[in-house]
Amino acid sequence: MSAVVAQSRVGALVGLAQPDVSAIENRRRAVTSAEVRQRIIDGLGVPLELVGVRPEGVPLPSLVLPGVVSEAGGERLAGVRRGGLRLDVASVDAMDALLAAHRRAEDTLGSRAVAPLVTAQFRAVAGLHGQARGALADRVVKLLAEYAQFLAWMAQDQDNAAVALGWFDRSYDWALEAGYGDMAATTMSMKAHLAWSGGEGRRCVRLGEAAAATVGASAATRAMAVQMAGRGYALEGERGEAYARLDEAQRIISDAVDAPPWLYFYGESWFAAQRGMADLHLGDWEGAVGNLTAGLAGFGPAFRRDRAWYGACLARAYTGAGEAEAALTTALGVVHDASEIGRPHGWAELHRVGALLLRRGAGEGRALVDALAELD
C-alpha cells in the first residue's frame, strides 16, 4: 500500500485531508487544536492511558445541554438513568427536545463534532427501553428510530456509506415496529439520497418513489421523496421525468403544513436549492445559478454546512456558465466553512471547481487552488 493511500485512509477515519495527515506524520505540522486532537484519538481508537487520561476520570457525555432541558428536567433524566426514578412521559419529552437541539447544532458545528455525543445519547436512550411499557414503549422505539436516522445522516455526511446504511436499516425497522410511517418514509428517502450521492440514479428513483408511497408519510415527507426521485432522473439525464417530479414535489410542498420535526429545514428555499442540483446534472447552468442563488438566500447563518455545500455547487454552476470571476468569488465566500465543517463533500466540490477552472485556462482557477492549499 502506498503512503498516500494509507494517509488517505487515516484521513477518512479522523476527518483530515491526506496532505494534513502527511504533514502531521512528517512533523511539518503540530496538532494544536483540541478538536482535531480529539478527532485523531476517537478516529484511531487511541487508548486513553496513552494520552495521559485515566478512563474512570472521563465523564460520560451528558444527556443535558444548557438551555435545552430545564434544570428540573435534567435532574429527572439523571434520576432515570441511575434507576432511582421511573421512566415517564416527561422524561421522553426531554429526550425529544434534546435530539431536536442536536439536529440544529449539527447544522452549525458539523457532523464530526456532534456524532460522538449523539451516539452516547442513543446508547443511553436504548438502555432505558426496558423500563417502558405500553404506549410509552412505543414512544421510546419511535425515539430510537429518530436517533438512528440522525446517526445515519451524520455517517452519510462523512462519506461512510456502510455505516449509514446500517443505521438507516435500524431506523426503518424501529419505525415499522412503532407504526411510524413518516419516519419509515424519511429513512427510505434518505437512502435514495445516499444512492444519489453515489451516482446511482436508477436506485435513487426507485427508493424515492417507494418512500413517497409509504403509508403514513406526511405531505412534507412525500414532497422530499418525490424530489429525490426527480434528482435521480436528472442524474440519469432524463430531463422530462426529472422536471415532472420536481414540479409535483413543489405542488406538494406548497400545501404542506404537517412537516415532522426532523424536517424543520424543509421549505421553499431548500427546495429551490435541490432543484438547482437537478439543473446541474442536466447542464442547465443558468437555471442552476438562479435556483441555487434563491436557495442560499433563504439559509440563515446557522446553516453553515448547507451554505458551504450549496455555495460550492453554485461556484460549479458559475464555472459551467463560463463566469469564472463569479465562480471564484462564490467559492472564496464559503471556503472556510467548507474546510471546517464541509469535509468531505463541500470541500471536494470546491476542489472540482478549481480543477475545472484550471482546465479552462482561467486565472481564477489558480487563485482558488492556492486558497484551498492554504487550508489543506
Side-chain angles (χ1 to χ4, degrees), residues 65 68 95-107 114 150:
L65 285 180
V68 176
M95 296 173 194
D96 265 332
L98 185 64
L99 178 56
H102 279 120
R103 290 192 190 104
R104 293 180 180 271
E106 193 264 341
D107 290 326
V114 175
F150 186 34

Side-chain angles (χ1 to χ4, degrees), residues 153 156 193 196-199 204 224 227-239 242-243 246 268-296 299 305-318 345-346 348-350 352-353:
W153 156 251
Q156 179 177 333
H193 184 272
W196 172 83
S197 298
C204 177
M224 183 176 71
Q227 68 83 24
M228 277 307 318
R231 286 165 61 194
Y233 277 120
L235 193 60
E236 293 292 298
E238 299 183 35
R239 179 180 297 270
Y243 285 123
L246 291 167
E268 292 292 340
S269 295
W270 189 85
F271 183 84
Q274 297 299 313
R275 193 174 187 111
M277 298 302 300
D279 294 330
L280 279 179
H281 292 316
L282 295 168
D284 180 359
W285 308 119
E286 183 178 348
V289 167
N291 280 314
L292 289 168
T293 299
L296 280 164
F299 293 165
R305 183 201 57 248
D306 289 335
R307 289 177 66 85
W309 165 245
Y310 290 114
C313 292
L314 177 57
R316 181 153 66 93
Y318 276 126
H345 301 293
E349 188 70 7
L350 289 179
R352 281 192 286 270
V353 171

